[in-house]
PDB file of all heavy atoms in Angstrom:
ATOM      1  N   ILE B  20      77.339-165.529 134.630  1.00 97.00           N
ATOM      2  CA  ILE B  20      76.915-164.482 133.698  1.00 97.00           C
ATOM      3  C   ILE B  20      75.608-164.944 133.096  1.00 97.00           C
ATOM      4  O   ILE B  20      75.510-166.031 132.534  1.00 97.00           O
ATOM      5  CB  ILE B  20      77.959-164.228 132.582  1.00 97.00           C
ATOM      6  CG1 ILE B  20      79.211-163.565 133.159  1.00 97.00           C
ATOM      7  CG2 ILE B  20      77.384-163.275 131.534  1.00 97.00           C
ATOM      8  CD1 ILE B  20      80.157-164.480 133.824  1.00 97.00           C
ATOM      9  N   SER B  22      71.597-163.878 131.270  1.00 96.00           N
ATOM     10  CA  SER B  22      70.624-162.920 130.733  1.00 96.00           C
ATOM     11  C   SER B  22      69.312-163.657 130.521  1.00 96.00           C
ATOM     12  O   SER B  22      69.295-164.862 130.264  1.00 96.00           O
ATOM     13  CB  SER B  22      71.109-162.289 129.423  1.00 96.00           C
ATOM     14  OG  SER B  22      71.097-163.211 128.367  1.00 96.00           O
ATOM     15  N   GLY B  25      68.096-164.457 124.989  1.00 94.00           N
ATOM     16  CA  GLY B  25      69.313-164.857 124.292  1.00 94.00           C
ATOM     17  C   GLY B  25      69.959-163.715 123.526  1.00 94.00           C
ATOM     18  O   GLY B  25      69.350-162.672 123.297  1.00 94.00           O
ATOM     19  N   GLY B  26      71.211-163.932 123.157  1.00 94.00           N
ATOM     20  CA  GLY B  26      71.907-163.007 122.270  1.00 94.00           C
ATOM     21  C   GLY B  26      72.267-161.661 122.851  1.00 94.00           C
ATOM     22  O   GLY B  26      72.557-160.714 122.125  1.00 94.00           O
ATOM     23  N   LYS B  29      76.276-162.541 126.467  1.00 96.00           N
ATOM     24  CA  LYS B  29      76.798-163.255 127.640  1.00 96.00           C
ATOM     25  C   LYS B  29      78.145-163.909 127.355  1.00 96.00           C
ATOM     26  O   LYS B  29      79.087-163.748 128.114  1.00 96.00           O
ATOM     27  CB  LYS B  29      75.849-164.389 128.056  1.00 96.00           C
ATOM     28  CG  LYS B  29      74.576-163.959 128.696  1.00 96.00           C
ATOM     29  CD  LYS B  29      73.738-165.184 129.068  1.00 96.00           C
ATOM     30  CE  LYS B  29      73.316-166.030 127.859  1.00 96.00           C
ATOM     31  NZ  LYS B  29      72.469-165.312 126.900  1.00 96.00           N
ATOM     32  N   SER B  30      78.201-164.680 126.255  1.00 96.00           N
ATOM     33  CA  SER B  30      79.409-165.439 125.981  1.00 96.00           C
ATOM     34  C   SER B  30      80.589-164.500 125.722  1.00 96.00           C
ATOM     35  O   SER B  30      81.691-164.725 126.216  1.00 96.00           O
ATOM     36  CB  SER B  30      79.198-166.381 124.797  1.00 96.00           C
ATOM     37  OG  SER B  30      78.189-167.319 125.133  1.00 96.00           O
ATOM     38  N   VAL B  50      83.273-172.262 132.748  1.00 97.00           N
ATOM     39  CA  VAL B  50      82.480-173.442 132.403  1.00 97.00           C
ATOM     40  C   VAL B  50      81.339-172.999 131.499  1.00 97.00           C
ATOM     41  O   VAL B  50      80.641-172.026 131.799  1.00 97.00           O
ATOM     42  CB  VAL B  50      81.882-174.115 133.666  1.00 97.00           C
ATOM     43  CG1 VAL B  50      81.132-175.387 133.259  1.00 97.00           C
ATOM     44  CG2 VAL B  50      82.970-174.455 134.663  1.00 97.00           C
ATOM     45  N   ASP B  51      81.194-173.707 130.389  1.00 96.00           N
ATOM     46  CA  ASP B  51      80.073-173.411 129.497  1.00 96.00           C
ATOM     47  C   ASP B  51      78.900-174.303 129.883  1.00 96.00           C
ATOM     48  O   ASP B  51      78.863-175.472 129.533  1.00 96.00           O
ATOM     49  CB  ASP B  51      80.490-173.679 128.041  1.00 96.00           C
ATOM     50  CG  ASP B  51      79.438-173.204 127.044  1.00 96.00           C
ATOM     51  OD1 ASP B  51      78.358-172.744 127.498  1.00 96.00           O
ATOM     52  OD2 ASP B  51      79.684-173.285 125.832  1.00 96.00           O
ATOM     53  N   THR B  52      77.963-173.760 130.635  1.00 94.00           N
ATOM     54  CA  THR B  52      76.805-174.572 131.028  1.00 94.00           C
ATOM     55  C   THR B  52      75.647-174.411 130.036  1.00 94.00           C
ATOM     56  O   THR B  52      74.550-174.888 130.287  1.00 94.00           O
ATOM     57  CB  THR B  52      76.288-174.208 132.441  1.00 94.00           C
ATOM     58  OG1 THR B  52      75.824-172.864 132.422  1.00 94.00           O
ATOM     59  CG2 THR B  52      77.361-174.388 133.487  1.00 94.00           C
ATOM     60  N   ASP B  53      75.914-173.723 128.932  1.00 92.00           N
ATOM     61  CA  ASP B  53      74.874-173.609 127.903  1.00 92.00           C
ATOM     62  C   ASP B  53      74.923-174.876 127.055  1.00 92.00           C
ATOM     63  O   ASP B  53      75.364-174.869 125.905  1.00 92.00           O
ATOM     64  CB  ASP B  53      75.107-172.358 127.052  1.00 92.00           C
ATOM     65  CG  ASP B  53      73.940-172.070 126.124  1.00 92.00           C
ATOM     66  OD1 ASP B  53      73.001-172.900 126.078  1.00 92.00           O
ATOM     67  OD2 ASP B  53      73.973-171.028 125.446  1.00 92.00           O
ATOM     68  N   ILE B  54      74.444-175.953 127.663  1.00 91.00           N
ATOM     69  CA  ILE B  54      74.548-177.270 127.026  1.00 91.00           C
ATOM     70  C   ILE B  54      73.740-177.340 125.735  1.00 91.00           C
ATOM     71  O   ILE B  54      74.124-177.989 124.776  1.00 91.00           O
ATOM     72  CB  ILE B  54      74.065-178.361 128.012  1.00 91.00           C
ATOM     73  CG1 ILE B  54      74.847-178.232 129.321  1.00 91.00           C
ATOM     74  CG2 ILE B  54      74.247-179.744 127.444  1.00 91.00           C
ATOM     75  CD1 ILE B  54      74.219-178.993 130.457  1.00 91.00           C
ATOM     76  N   GLN B  55      72.623-176.620 125.714  1.00 91.00           N
ATOM     77  CA  GLN B  55      71.736-176.645 124.546  1.00 91.00           C
ATOM     78  C   GLN B  55      72.340-175.952 123.334  1.00 91.00           C
ATOM     79  O   GLN B  55      72.128-176.366 122.211  1.00 91.00           O
ATOM     80  CB  GLN B  55      70.415-175.945 124.866  1.00 91.00           C
ATOM     81  CG  GLN B  55      69.622-176.594 125.953  1.00 91.00           C
ATOM     82  CD  GLN B  55      68.310-175.846 126.161  1.00 91.00           C
ATOM     83  OE1 GLN B  55      67.713-175.322 125.226  1.00 91.00           O
ATOM     84  NE2 GLN B  55      67.860-175.812 127.404  1.00 91.00           N
ATOM     85  N   SER B  56      73.024-174.844 123.598  1.00 92.00           N
ATOM     86  CA  SER B  56      73.577-174.082 122.471  1.00 92.00           C
ATOM     87  C   SER B  56      74.909-173.467 122.880  1.00 92.00           C
ATOM     88  O   SER B  56      75.004-172.268 123.092  1.00 92.00           O
ATOM     89  CB  SER B  56      72.599-172.990 122.031  1.00 92.00           C
ATOM     90  OG  SER B  56      72.140-172.268 123.173  1.00 92.00           O
ATOM     91  N   PRO B  57      75.933-174.312 122.989  1.00 94.00           N
ATOM     92  CA  PRO B  57      77.224-173.833 123.453  1.00 94.00           C
ATOM     93  C   PRO B  57      77.795-172.777 122.504  1.00 94.00           C
ATOM     94  O   PRO B  57      77.504-172.820 121.308  1.00 94.00           O
ATOM     95  CB  PRO B  57      78.116-175.083 123.413  1.00 94.00           C
ATOM     96  CG  PRO B  57      77.259-176.225 123.055  1.00 94.00           C
ATOM     97  CD  PRO B  57      75.956-175.720 122.563  1.00 94.00           C
ATOM     98  N   GLY B  58      78.545-171.830 123.048  1.00 92.00           N
ATOM     99  CA  GLY B  58      79.038-170.765 122.179  1.00 92.00           C
ATOM    100  C   GLY B  58      80.414-170.237 122.537  1.00 92.00           C
ATOM    101  O   GLY B  58      81.161-169.798 121.666  1.00 92.00           O
ATOM    102  N   ILE B  59      80.775-170.318 123.792  1.00 95.00           N
ATOM    103  CA  ILE B  59      81.970-169.599 124.225  1.00 95.00           C
ATOM    104  C   ILE B  59      83.270-170.206 123.699  1.00 95.00           C
ATOM    105  O   ILE B  59      84.284-169.502 123.554  1.00 95.00           O
ATOM    106  CB  ILE B  59      81.984-169.477 125.773  1.00 95.00           C
ATOM    107  CG1 ILE B  59      82.936-168.351 126.191  1.00 95.00           C
ATOM    108  CG2 ILE B  59      82.306-170.802 126.428  1.00 95.00           C
ATOM    109  CD1 ILE B  59      82.754-167.908 127.619  1.00 95.00           C
ATOM    110  N   HIS B  60      83.232-171.513 123.350  1.00 95.00           N
ATOM    111  CA  HIS B  60      84.446-172.157 122.828  1.00 95.00           C
ATOM    112  C   HIS B  60      84.993-171.444 121.592  1.00 95.00           C
ATOM    113  O   HIS B  60      86.193-171.387 121.389  1.00 95.00           O
ATOM    114  CB  HIS B  60      84.149-173.626 122.487  1.00 95.00           C
ATOM    115  CG  HIS B  60      83.062-173.767 121.472  1.00 95.00           C
ATOM    116  ND1 HIS B  60      81.719-173.701 121.815  1.00 95.00           N
ATOM    117  CD2 HIS B  60      83.095-173.928 120.126  1.00 95.00           C
ATOM    118  CE1 HIS B  60      80.980-173.831 120.723  1.00 95.00           C
ATOM    119  NE2 HIS B  60      81.799-173.960 119.686  1.00 95.00           N
ATOM    120  N   LEU B  74      82.134-181.193 128.987  1.00 96.00           N
ATOM    121  CA  LEU B  74      81.300-181.192 130.190  1.00 96.00           C
ATOM    122  C   LEU B  74      80.266-182.325 130.128  1.00 96.00           C
ATOM    123  O   LEU B  74      79.933-182.926 131.154  1.00 96.00           O
ATOM    124  CB  LEU B  74      80.577-179.836 130.292  1.00 96.00           C
ATOM    125  CG  LEU B  74      79.922-179.517 131.634  1.00 96.00           C
ATOM    126  CD1 LEU B  74      80.976-179.363 132.724  1.00 96.00           C
ATOM    127  CD2 LEU B  74      79.094-178.228 131.528  1.00 96.00           C
ATOM    128  N   ASN B  75      79.817-182.640 128.898  1.00 95.00           N
ATOM    129  CA  ASN B  75      78.843-183.724 128.727  1.00 95.00           C
ATOM    130  C   ASN B  75      79.426-185.048 129.220  1.00 95.00           C
ATOM    131  O   ASN B  75      78.743-185.817 129.888  1.00 95.00           O
ATOM    132  CB  ASN B  75      78.449-183.855 127.245  1.00 95.00           C
ATOM    133  CG  ASN B  75      77.926-182.555 126.677  1.00 95.00           C
ATOM    134  OD1 ASN B  75      78.577-181.524 126.806  1.00 95.00           O
ATOM    135  ND2 ASN B  75      76.746-182.594 126.069  1.00 95.00           N
ATOM    136  N   LEU B  78      79.338-185.067 132.929  1.00 94.00           N
ATOM    137  CA  LEU B  78      77.992-185.210 133.482  1.00 94.00           C
ATOM    138  C   LEU B  78      77.453-186.632 133.300  1.00 94.00           C
ATOM    139  O   LEU B  78      76.669-187.108 134.098  1.00 94.00           O
ATOM    140  CB  LEU B  78      77.037-184.191 132.842  1.00 94.00           C
ATOM    141  CG  LEU B  78      77.306-182.737 133.235  1.00 94.00           C
ATOM    142  CD1 LEU B  78      76.428-181.791 132.424  1.00 94.00           C
ATOM    143  CD2 LEU B  78      77.094-182.509 134.732  1.00 94.00           C
ATOM    144  N   PHE B 112      86.137-175.009 130.248  1.00 97.00           N
ATOM    145  CA  PHE B 112      85.462-176.303 130.331  1.00 97.00           C
ATOM    146  C   PHE B 112      84.292-176.269 129.350  1.00 97.00           C
ATOM    147  O   PHE B 112      83.198-175.805 129.689  1.00 97.00           O
ATOM    148  CB  PHE B 112      84.981-176.566 131.769  1.00 97.00           C
ATOM    149  CG  PHE B 112      86.127-176.665 132.744  1.00 97.00           C
ATOM    150  CD1 PHE B 112      86.744-175.522 133.242  1.00 97.00           C
ATOM    151  CD2 PHE B 112      86.611-177.908 133.133  1.00 97.00           C
ATOM    152  CE1 PHE B 112      87.814-175.612 134.123  1.00 97.00           C
ATOM    153  CE2 PHE B 112      87.681-178.005 134.021  1.00 97.00           C
ATOM    154  CZ  PHE B 112      88.293-176.858 134.511  1.00 97.00           C
ATOM    155  N   PRO B 113      84.548-176.745 128.101  1.00 97.00           N
ATOM    156  CA  PRO B 113      83.521-176.595 127.058  1.00 97.00           C
ATOM    157  C   PRO B 113      82.419-177.634 127.142  1.00 97.00           C
ATOM    158  O   PRO B 113      82.610-178.716 127.682  1.00 97.00           O
ATOM    159  CB  PRO B 113      84.328-176.776 125.766  1.00 97.00           C
ATOM    160  CG  PRO B 113      85.471-177.669 126.144  1.00 97.00           C
ATOM    161  CD  PRO B 113      85.789-177.379 127.595  1.00 97.00           C
ATOM    162  N   SER B 114      81.280-177.274 126.565  1.00 96.00           N
ATOM    163  CA  SER B 114      80.187-178.223 126.372  1.00 96.00           C
ATOM    164  C   SER B 114      80.367-178.835 124.995  1.00 96.00           C
ATOM    165  O   SER B 114      80.945-178.208 124.096  1.00 96.00           O
ATOM    166  CB  SER B 114      78.857-177.480 126.399  1.00 96.00           C
ATOM    167  OG  SER B 114      78.293-177.542 127.673  1.00 96.00           O
ATOM    168  N   SER B 115      79.833-180.012 124.822  1.00 95.00           N
ATOM    169  CA  SER B 115      79.972-180.675 123.525  1.00 95.00           C
ATOM    170  C   SER B 115      79.228-179.913 122.436  1.00 95.00           C
ATOM    171  O   SER B 115      78.140-179.378 122.667  1.00 95.00           O
ATOM    172  CB  SER B 115      79.427-182.094 123.602  1.00 95.00           C
ATOM    173  OG  SER B 115      79.440-182.665 122.305  1.00 95.00           O
ATOM    174  N   ILE B 116      79.836-179.891 121.262  1.00 93.00           N
ATOM    175  CA  ILE B 116      79.145-179.243 120.140  1.00 93.00           C
ATOM    176  C   ILE B 116      78.672-180.288 119.125  1.00 93.00           C
ATOM    177  O   ILE B 116      78.234-179.964 118.034  1.00 93.00           O
ATOM    178  CB  ILE B 116      80.045-178.180 119.455  1.00 93.00           C
ATOM    179  CG1 ILE B 116      81.440-178.725 119.187  1.00 93.00           C
ATOM    180  CG2 ILE B 116      80.115-176.930 120.313  1.00 93.00           C
ATOM    181  CD1 ILE B 116      82.344-177.742 118.448  1.00 93.00           C
ATOM    182  N   ILE B 121      74.444-183.443 122.246  1.00 90.00           N
ATOM    183  CA  ILE B 121      73.545-182.395 122.758  1.00 90.00           C
ATOM    184  C   ILE B 121      72.133-182.954 122.914  1.00 90.00           C
ATOM    185  O   ILE B 121      71.500-182.824 123.964  1.00 90.00           O
ATOM    186  CB  ILE B 121      73.529-181.148 121.836  1.00 90.00           C
ATOM    187  CG1 ILE B 121      74.908-180.479 121.853  1.00 90.00           C
ATOM    188  CG2 ILE B 121      72.450-180.156 122.277  1.00 90.00           C
ATOM    189  CD1 ILE B 121      75.068-179.339 120.884  1.00 90.00           C
ATOM    190  N   ILE B 124      71.830-185.416 125.930  1.00 88.00           N
ATOM    191  CA  ILE B 124      71.748-184.854 127.278  1.00 88.00           C
ATOM    192  C   ILE B 124      70.427-184.127 127.499  1.00 88.00           C
ATOM    193  O   ILE B 124      69.884-184.101 128.603  1.00 88.00           O
ATOM    194  CB  ILE B 124      72.972-183.956 127.597  1.00 88.00           C
ATOM    195  CG1 ILE B 124      73.146-183.849 129.110  1.00 88.00           C
ATOM    196  CG2 ILE B 124      72.841-182.582 126.965  1.00 88.00           C
ATOM    197  CD1 ILE B 124      74.529-183.470 129.542  1.00 88.00           C
ATOM    198  N   LEU B 125      69.887-183.560 126.420  1.00 86.00           N
ATOM    199  CA  LEU B 125      68.601-182.881 126.555  1.00 86.00           C
ATOM    200  C   LEU B 125      67.491-183.904 126.776  1.00 86.00           C
ATOM    201  O   LEU B 125      66.547-183.679 127.525  1.00 86.00           O
ATOM    202  CB  LEU B 125      68.305-182.030 125.314  1.00 86.00           C
ATOM    203  CG  LEU B 125      69.195-180.795 125.131  1.00 86.00           C
ATOM    204  CD1 LEU B 125      68.811-180.058 123.856  1.00 86.00           C
ATOM    205  CD2 LEU B 125      69.093-179.863 126.334  1.00 86.00           C
ATOM    206  N   TYR B 129      70.319-184.678 133.294  1.00 84.00           N
ATOM    207  CA  TYR B 129      71.510-185.009 134.081  1.00 84.00           C
ATOM    208  C   TYR B 129      71.280-184.501 135.495  1.00 84.00           C
ATOM    209  O   TYR B 129      70.345-183.750 135.769  1.00 84.00           O
ATOM    210  CB  TYR B 129      72.771-184.403 133.473  1.00 84.00           C
ATOM    211  CG  TYR B 129      72.762-182.889 133.463  1.00 84.00           C
ATOM    212  CD1 TYR B 129      73.304-182.170 134.527  1.00 84.00           C
ATOM    213  CD2 TYR B 129      72.165-182.190 132.418  1.00 84.00           C
ATOM    214  CE1 TYR B 129      73.265-180.789 134.534  1.00 84.00           C
ATOM    215  CE2 TYR B 129      72.127-180.819 132.423  1.00 84.00           C
ATOM    216  CZ  TYR B 129      72.677-180.120 133.482  1.00 84.00           C
ATOM    217  OH  TYR B 129      72.623-178.764 133.493  1.00 84.00           O
ATOM    218  N   LEU B 134      76.797-181.435 138.481  1.00 90.00           N
ATOM    219  CA  LEU B 134      77.379-180.215 137.908  1.00 90.00           C
ATOM    220  C   LEU B 134      77.981-179.374 139.031  1.00 90.00           C
ATOM    221  O   LEU B 134      79.106-178.881 138.926  1.00 90.00           O
ATOM    222  CB  LEU B 134      76.294-179.417 137.170  1.00 90.00           C
ATOM    223  CG  LEU B 134      76.709-178.104 136.524  1.00 90.00           C
ATOM    224  CD1 LEU B 134      77.778-178.332 135.457  1.00 90.00           C
ATOM    225  CD2 LEU B 134      75.511-177.388 135.893  1.00 90.00           C
ATOM    226  N   PHE B 138      81.868-178.028 139.757  1.00 93.00           N
ATOM    227  CA  PHE B 138      82.325-176.656 140.052  1.00 93.00           C
ATOM    228  C   PHE B 138      83.256-176.648 141.263  1.00 93.00           C
ATOM    229  O   PHE B 138      84.326-176.040 141.251  1.00 93.00           O
ATOM    230  CB  PHE B 138      81.140-175.721 140.366  1.00 93.00           C
ATOM    231  CG  PHE B 138      80.196-175.481 139.223  1.00 93.00           C
ATOM    232  CD1 PHE B 138      78.869-175.130 139.471  1.00 93.00           C
ATOM    233  CD2 PHE B 138      80.625-175.570 137.904  1.00 93.00           C
ATOM    234  CE1 PHE B 138      77.986-174.880 138.427  1.00 93.00           C
ATOM    235  CE2 PHE B 138      79.749-175.318 136.853  1.00 93.00           C
ATOM    236  CZ  PHE B 138      78.425-174.988 137.116  1.00 93.00           C
ATOM    237  N   ILE B 152      80.845-168.831 134.974  1.00 96.00           N
ATOM    238  CA  ILE B 152      79.875-169.753 134.403  1.00 96.00           C
ATOM    239  C   ILE B 152      79.051-169.032 133.343  1.00 96.00           C
ATOM    240  O   ILE B 152      78.328-168.080 133.633  1.00 96.00           O
ATOM    241  CB  ILE B 152      78.931-170.314 135.499  1.00 96.00           C
ATOM    242  CG1 ILE B 152      79.762-171.001 136.597  1.00 96.00           C
ATOM    243  CG2 ILE B 152      77.947-171.303 134.886  1.00 96.00           C
ATOM    244  CD1 ILE B 152      78.930-171.507 137.759  1.00 96.00           C
ATOM    245  N   ASP B 153      79.229-169.481 132.096  1.00 96.00           N
ATOM    246  CA  ASP B 153      78.426-168.934 130.991  1.00 96.00           C
ATOM    247  C   ASP B 153      77.152-169.764 130.936  1.00 96.00           C
ATOM    248  O   ASP B 153      77.196-170.985 131.005  1.00 96.00           O
ATOM    249  CB  ASP B 153      79.214-169.055 129.671  1.00 96.00           C
ATOM    250  CG  ASP B 153      78.514-168.345 128.520  1.00 96.00           C
ATOM    251  OD1 ASP B 153      77.600-167.524 128.774  1.00 96.00           O
ATOM    252  OD2 ASP B 153      78.885-168.608 127.356  1.00 96.00           O
ATOM    253  N   THR B 154      76.012-169.095 130.849  1.00 93.00           N
ATOM    254  CA  THR B 154      74.745-169.825 130.982  1.00 93.00           C
ATOM    255  C   THR B 154      73.869-169.760 129.744  1.00 93.00           C
ATOM    256  O   THR B 154      74.079-168.941 128.842  1.00 93.00           O
ATOM    257  CB  THR B 154      73.913-169.259 132.153  1.00 93.00           C
ATOM    258  OG1 THR B 154      73.600-167.900 131.866  1.00 93.00           O
ATOM    259  CG2 THR B 154      74.673-169.337 133.458  1.00 93.00           C
ATOM    260  N   HIS B 155      72.887-170.633 129.744  1.00 92.00           N
ATOM    261  CA  HIS B 155      71.845-170.603 128.720  1.00 92.00           C
ATOM    262  C   HIS B 155      70.843-169.525 129.131  1.00 92.00           C
ATOM    263  O   HIS B 155      70.549-169.381 130.309  1.00 92.00           O
ATOM    264  CB  HIS B 155      71.168-171.979 128.667  1.00 92.00           C
ATOM    265  CG  HIS B 155      70.188-172.105 127.550  1.00 92.00           C
ATOM    266  ND1 HIS B 155      70.584-172.147 126.226  1.00 92.00           N
ATOM    267  CD2 HIS B 155      68.841-172.214 127.542  1.00 92.00           C
ATOM    268  CE1 HIS B 155      69.513-172.262 125.471  1.00 92.00           C
ATOM    269  NE2 HIS B 155      68.438-172.300 126.236  1.00 92.00           N
ATOM    270  N   PRO B 156      70.329-168.748 128.160  1.00 93.00           N
ATOM    271  CA  PRO B 156      69.370-167.706 128.559  1.00 93.00           C
ATOM    272  C   PRO B 156      68.105-168.309 129.191  1.00 93.00           C
ATOM    273  O   PRO B 156      67.781-169.460 128.958  1.00 93.00           O
ATOM    274  CB  PRO B 156      69.039-167.014 127.231  1.00 93.00           C
ATOM    275  CG  PRO B 156      69.480-167.948 126.155  1.00 93.00           C
ATOM    276  CD  PRO B 156      70.616-168.740 126.728  1.00 93.00           C
ATOM    277  N   GLY B 157      67.432-167.496 129.965  1.00 91.00           N
ATOM    278  CA  GLY B 157      66.206-167.961 130.629  1.00 91.00           C
ATOM    279  C   GLY B 157      66.538-168.496 132.006  1.00 91.00           C
ATOM    280  O   GLY B 157      67.655-168.327 132.502  1.00 91.00           O
ATOM    281  N   ASN B 159      66.232-171.874 133.391  1.00 86.00           N
ATOM    282  CA  ASN B 159      66.063-173.310 133.516  1.00 86.00           C
ATOM    283  C   ASN B 159      66.834-173.821 134.739  1.00 86.00           C
ATOM    284  O   ASN B 159      67.472-173.046 135.449  1.00 86.00           O
ATOM    285  CB  ASN B 159      66.492-174.033 132.241  1.00 86.00           C
ATOM    286  CG  ASN B 159      67.944-173.776 131.920  1.00 86.00           C
ATOM    287  OD1 ASN B 159      68.720-173.422 132.803  1.00 86.00           O
ATOM    288  ND2 ASN B 159      68.315-173.952 130.666  1.00 86.00           N
ATOM    289  N   GLU B 161      69.661-175.682 135.313  1.00 81.00           N
ATOM    290  CA  GLU B 161      71.111-175.491 135.528  1.00 81.00           C
ATOM    291  C   GLU B 161      71.457-174.016 135.699  1.00 81.00           C
ATOM    292  O   GLU B 161      72.402-173.659 136.385  1.00 81.00           O
ATOM    293  CB  GLU B 161      71.974-176.174 134.452  1.00 81.00           C
ATOM    294  CG  GLU B 161      71.863-175.648 133.041  1.00 81.00           C
ATOM    295  CD  GLU B 161      70.852-176.461 132.248  1.00 81.00           C
ATOM    296  OE1 GLU B 161      70.052-177.201 132.861  1.00 81.00           O
ATOM    297  OE2 GLU B 161      70.842-176.335 131.003  1.00 81.00           O
ATOM    298  N   THR B 162      70.638-173.153 135.082  1.00 89.00           N
ATOM    299  CA  THR B 162      70.872-171.721 135.258  1.00 89.00           C
ATOM    300  C   THR B 162      70.515-171.295 136.680  1.00 89.00           C
ATOM    301  O   THR B 162      71.269-170.548 137.315  1.00 89.00           O
ATOM    302  CB  THR B 162      70.060-170.909 134.234  1.00 89.00           C
ATOM    303  OG1 THR B 162      70.447-171.313 132.925  1.00 89.00           O
ATOM    304  CG2 THR B 162      70.308-169.429 134.391  1.00 89.00           C
ATOM    305  N   SER B 165      73.275-172.359 138.860  1.00 90.00           N
ATOM    306  CA  SER B 165      74.467-171.508 138.784  1.00 90.00           C
ATOM    307  C   SER B 165      74.244-170.184 139.510  1.00 90.00           C
ATOM    308  O   SER B 165      75.148-169.645 140.150  1.00 90.00           O
ATOM    309  CB  SER B 165      74.895-171.291 137.335  1.00 90.00           C
ATOM    310  OG  SER B 165      74.049-170.357 136.707  1.00 90.00           O
TER     311      SER B 165
END
Side-chain angles (χ1 to χ4, degrees):
Chain B
I20 290 80
S22 71
K29 288 181 298 298
S30 297
V50 183
D51 188 356
T52 64
D53 189 355
I54 306 165
Q55 298 182 34
S56 48
I59 199 165
H60 59 279
L74 194 66
N75 304 52
L78 291 173
F112 297 80
S114 264
S115 174
I116 47 177
I121 294 174
I124 202 158
L125 291 179
Y129 64 92
L134 179 61
F138 295 155
I152 303 176
D153 187 16
T154 62
H155 186 69
N159 60 22
E161 65 265 16
T162 301
S165 76

